Amino acid sequence: MIEKITQQKLTGPTALRALARAFANFGDFDRFVAGLQSALEHSSLFEKTTIMLDRSLAEGIKPFASGVLNLPLTGGALRHGVLQAAPGGEHRQFGAEDLHLLAGLADFLAAVLDQAVRMQDAQRSRELLRFLLNQAPIGLAAYTPDRRPLVANDLAGQWLGEAGPPFLEIESGAENFYLRTGGKLIYGEARRAPDGVWIFALHDLTPGQVRLMESLQRETFRGLVEQHPVSFALVESAQVREGVLRQLPELRQALERNEIAGPYDANRIGIVLSGTGGAAARSRLRAWQNVFRDPGVLRVGFAELGRDGMAPDALLGAALRSSSPYREMVRPAVLVHEGDAGVLDAIGMILGKEYRVVKSTQLERTREFLRREEFDLFMADLDLRGTVSGVDLAREAVAVQPRIKALFTSVNYPPYEFPPQLAAEGAVVVQKPFTPESLRQTVRNRLGS
């Protein structure tokens, strides 16, 4: 935040050249910057444009650094701070993860066009502005308050067509929207200038989405042929400016060789995990919580090859339908089989805050759970009465899910006898009666968390 209230007026060319220098850090904006410089050299309109900036901006006082896009956030006489956008490297292409820049660019163009339409040479200004907008790698358009086209670059004209933007959706309060046109997925930001002129900034998300869907299709068919698991996750944020796409570069750095991530739309990142399913996939999502700045506000949809379908479209549909809170979805899953319903409820209460606990007292129900869902831990009563012992049931669980870990409860004292397979796997017994903390710590140790 800027605490001093000292302000000064900068001429249009000075302020706009500062903005041009910021966008020059993105390779796709080279023509946009060149067009902006050309416009400033030939337009008397921009000589009359003034933009209020804090004096520290003009004098280069920190916190502003060279190559960082700085957009003052002001409203009337109030100044709220500054929006800063820094490129990921010295020079790179404009991508889906840069969608937050569209909002700032839309606000900037709204201010410039607001000045342009007030001048007597408005027609000449629109032609000059159209030339400038055609240099941008995104679609840019303006409409009058009564929804008539005012100016647009070629990309916006192609994407919006005669139908124009979805005004009903925008006037109901939406600042961003999607369009499907010519087989493309177009994301748009909408802003309104003080005189009522509508400004639209549009970006084609199709290339990134296509690459993601091609990866899902390729890895699905490879999984079917090679008979290995494939998982697909959609991580979603409710808004765009601070949403998950801003963390896409960091997420890609954290991926392993068999993992692919890309934009599904402006609110969602898709992740393809080849060779990973069930508990292992949840573990990977759990590890990425540090990448996402606020996983508490995120949701995730998840699908597995086989369980949710045998085709890419089926996996995508399942992930879209199964959206749940991120932190809830990535919690380790524990299946508990107990003969005593009271003990079963007590275990659920003790472990329920840290783990997703599935409880069962019936053999067939337990077996159905094991067939339907992959678990991180299987807990069974070592002293089960009936035709199947706790050890036998644990052996069945390991046969169905080789990666599952076993944990037993018992009223008897050691030593305990286990078959070689469970003994080698490191079977652990919790002595009854147990304290809540001792049970929680044993489960944490068993899962290595």
Side-chain angles (χ1 to χ4, degrees):
M1 296 289 292
I2 305 173
E3 297 180 358
K4 296 175 65 179
I5 307 300
T6 56
Q7 293 183 340
Q8 70 176 29
K9 285 188 177 181
L10 298 182
T11 63
T14 302
L16 298 180
R17 283 194 179 98
L19 183 69
R21 285 195 297 272
F23 275 95
N25 286 277
F26 296 87
D28 284 349
F29 277 92
D30 288 344
R31 293 200 306 147
F32 177 78
V33 173
L36 178 56
Q37 296 289 353
S38 175
L40 294 175
E41 298 298 331
H42 298 90
S43 173
S44 61
L45 164 68
F46 290 117
E47 294 291 347
K48 301 176 183 179
T49 301
T50 59
I51 298 178
M52 296 297 296
L53 298 176
D54 188 87
R55 185 180 300 277
S56 60
L57 259 177
E59 296 173 353
I61 299 174
K62 295 295 184 181
F64 303 108
S66 175
V68 176
L69 173 62
N70 297 282
L71 295 174
L73 305 177
T74 63
L78 299 176
R79 302 190 312 106
H80 308 292
V82 175
L83 170 67
Q84 293 184 324
E90 294 184 359
H91 193 81
R92 65 181 177 84
Q93 300 297 301
F94 180 83
E97 60 270 29
D98 300 313
L99 289 185
H100 59 285
L101 288 177
L102 294 185
L105 185 57
D107 290 337
F108 156 69
L109 292 172
V112 172
L113 195 58
D114 187 38
Q115 295 290 330
V117 296
R118 297 182 184 207
M119 307 303 295
Q120 293 182 352
D121 59 345
Q123 181 59 40
R124 180 174 179 272
S125 299
R126 283 196 296 271
E127 293 301 323
L128 188 61
L129 187 59
R130 183 178 294 109
F131 166 76
L132 166 63
L133 300 185
N134 268 330
Q135 315 311 309
I138 58 178
L140 299 167
Y143 284 72
T144 63
D146 57 355
R147 304 182 181 181
R148 289 184 294 106
L150 183 60
V151 65
N153 65 2
D154 292 343
L155 284 176
Q158 175 186 346
W159 293 339
L160 294 175
E162 295 183 0
F167 279 104
L168 291 178
E169 178 183 345
I170 296 163
E171 289 175 344
S172 66
E175 287 192 340
N176 49 68
F177 57 91
Y178 292 99
L179 294 173
R180 282 286 185 181
T181 175
K184 294 181 178 293
L185 174 64
I186 306 300
Y187 168 76
E189 284 272 355
R191 292 294 183 275
R192 202 164 194 181
D195 65 348
V197 171
W198 289 100
I199 303 296
F200 298 95
L202 309 167
H203 180 58
D204 183 7
L205 288 175
T206 311
Q209 189 190 61
V210 167
R211 286 192 293 270
L212 175 67
M213 292 297 98
E214 287 177 345
S215 299
L216 176 60
Q217 185 178 50
R218 180 182 64 251
E219 296 306 324
T220 298
F221 292 134
R222 180 178 295 172
L224 291 172
V225 172
E226 300 179 0
Q227 296 186 338
H228 66 233
V230 176
S231 301
F232 180 64
L234 283 174
V235 181
E236 175 183 3
S237 56
Q239 44 82 41
V240 175
R241 289 197 178 190
E242 298 296 328
V244 291
L245 284 185
R246 296 196 67 173
Q247 280 80 61
L248 183 55
E250 291 90 341
L251 175 61
R252 282 174 168 158
Q253 291 180 357
L255 298 179
E256 296 181 351
R257 294 184 60 184
N258 62 331
E259 299 164 345
I260 303 160
Y264 178 73
D265 56 27
N267 297 86
R268 284 176 285 203
I269 287 177
I271 309 172
V272 181
L273 300 96
S274 180
T276 306
R282 283 198 303 272
S283 176
R284 292 297 293 151
L285 286 166
R286 196 157 54 242
W288 295 327
Q289 288 185 94
N290 295 331
V291 174
F292 299 113
R293 294 169 190 170
D294 189 3
V297 302
L298 302 180
R299 298 184 67 83
V300 59
F302 185 75
E304 295 180 60
L305 182 62
R307 187 194 71 180
D308 297 299
M310 306 296 286
D313 290 345
L315 296 185
L316 174 60
L320 289 170
R321 292 190 302 270
S322 64
S323 178
S324 59
Y326 191 105
R327 284 177 173 161
E328 175 66 22
M329 187 271 165
V330 301
R331 291 199 302 169
V334 178
L335 176 59
V336 184
H337 183 98
E338 271 281 347
D340 188 319
V343 174
L344 193 65
D345 290 339
I347 292 174
M349 291 180 61
I350 294 170
L351 300 180
K353 289 186 177 181
E354 293 183 45
Y355 308 95
R356 188 171 58 84
V357 180
V358 178
K359 301 178 293 183
S360 174
T361 58
Q362 302 174 6
L363 288 175
E364 289 308 315
R365 184 177 172 84
T366 299
R367 289 164 176 156
E368 177 60 27
F369 281 135
L370 288 169
R371 288 191 294 267
R372 194 173 62 193
E373 180 181 351
E374 189 169 340
F375 293 90
D376 299 84
L377 181 71
F378 177 69
M379 288 185 63
D381 185 355
L382 196 61
D383 312 312
L384 282 178
R385 297 177 181 178
T387 58
V388 178
S389 68
V391 170
D392 292 335
L393 197 54
R395 253 192 311 213
E396 288 185 35
V398 172
V400 176
Q401 301 183 21
R403 295 184 179 182
I404 200 169
K405 294 184 178 180
L407 178 65
F408 299 95
T409 60
S410 178
V411 296
N412 296 317
Y413 292 96
Y416 307 103
E417 293 186 3
F418 293 106
Q421 182 184 11
L422 290 179
E425 199 266 341
V428 175
V429 179
V430 178
Q431 185 72 46
K432 295 179 182 178
F434 46 77
T435 65
E437 186 53 39
S438 66
L439 178 61
R440 280 193 290 263
Q441 191 57 52
T442 302
V443 171
R444 289 180 195 134
N445 294 339
R446 196 74 184 93
L447 292 176
S449 61

